[in-house]
């Protein structure tokens, strides 16, 4: 029964976890490793998992693994993952006009660069809310925060991002 439960969780959440970890680490290879590690740890602690929202629980595990890995790398090198955080790899879409895709990619690169200036907890809370569409309760569960703390931190993250964007002179129509 536990193997089936883990297999179902993997089918449902491996891809969103991978994209989250890729966004956080800036590396497809690191995201693969961290996603695998998430499910290894989930396998180990599946017996302690009691009715929590599976998605929030797995993102909590993934976030903790990412933070652990970041701390290990920070200790190993003088310059932490800032250079690697958001890669400038182009994700070329086979759909749409090339000009539109280019502008979209430029906006994404600019936004990713700006996000790189935010502390980890702000990047995580923005990602979970905006990209993964987590509810406040799910974010709170994933980040060990109350719903009120989630709302405050989300507000602060958005304001900080806005402030950084203004300092960098970043403005794109249609992107908030």
């Amino acid at each position: 029964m536990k193997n089936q439960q883990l297999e179902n969780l993997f089918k449902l959440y491996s891809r969103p976890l991978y994209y989250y970890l890729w966004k956080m680490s800036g590396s497809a290879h690191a995201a693969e490793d961290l996603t695998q590690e998430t499910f290894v740890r989930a396998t180990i602690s599946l017996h302690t998992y009691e009715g929590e929202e599976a998605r929030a629980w797995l993102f909590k595990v993934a976030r903790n693994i990412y933070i652990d890995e970041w701390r290990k790398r920070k200790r190993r090198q003088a310059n932490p993952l800032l250079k690697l955080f958001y890669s400038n790899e182009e994700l070329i879409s086979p759909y749409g006009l090339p000009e539109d895709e280019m502008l979209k990619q430029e906006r994404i690169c600019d936004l990713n660069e700006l996000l790189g200036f935010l502390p980890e907890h702000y990047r995580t809370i923005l990602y979970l809310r905006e990209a993964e569409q987590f509810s406040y309760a799910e974010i709170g569960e994933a980040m060990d925060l109350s719903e009120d703390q989630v709302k405050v931190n989300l507000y602060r993250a958005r304001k900080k991002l806005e402030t950084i964007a203004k300092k960098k002179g970043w403005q794109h129509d249609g992107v908030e």
Side-chain angles (χ1 to χ4, degrees), residues 129-145:
R129 182 66 179 171
E130 304 303 332
E132 290 298 323
Q133 309 270 309
F134 270 35
S135 68
Y136 295 131
E138 289 174 317
I139 294 170
E141 191 172 317
M143 296 183 70
D144 289 328
L145 300 171

Side-chain angles (χ1 to χ4, degrees), residues 23-56:
K23 251 331 175 185
M24 294 304 292
S25 69
S27 163
H29 179 71
E32 287 175 20
D33 290 345
L34 294 171
T35 302
Q36 283 183 333
E37 182 64 22
T38 298
F39 282 98
V40 167
R41 290 197 193 171
T43 302
I44 293 167
S45 60
L46 191 60
H47 69 281
T48 62
Y49 169 75
E50 294 180 11
E52 286 183 71
E53 172 67 34
R55 184 170 74 150

Side-chain angles (χ1 to χ4, degrees), residues 96-108:
L97 297 173
E99 296 85 11
D100 292 342
E101 287 302 312
M102 191 174 92
L103 289 173
K104 181 180 174 186
Q105 290 305 315
E106 186 179 308
R107 285 186 207 118
I108 289 170

Side-chain angles (χ1 to χ4, degrees), residues 48-88:
T48 62
Y49 169 75
E50 294 180 11
E52 286 183 71
E53 172 67 34
R55 184 170 74 150
W57 176 67
L58 284 170
F59 272 85
K60 180 179 186 176
V61 172
R63 178 176 182 254
N64 289 337
I65 289 168
Y66 167 75
I67 290 170
D68 290 347
E69 182 62 26
W70 184 82
R71 286 177 183 154
K72 285 179 197 172
R73 288 185 185 193
K74 188 174 178 183
R75 277 182 260 157
R76 280 190 238 134
Q77 58 189 10
N79 189 0
L81 297 174
L82 290 177
K83 286 183 182 176
L84 300 175
F85 188 77
Y86 284 100
S87 68
N88 290 329

Side-chain angles (χ1 to χ4, degrees), residues 151-165:
K151 291 174 185 176
V152 167
N153 281 308
L154 191 56
Y155 174 80
R156 288 178 181 167
R158 287 175 176 151
K159 283 298 183 189
K160 180 101 173 154
L161 186 62
E162 183 181 322
T163 301
I164 292 169

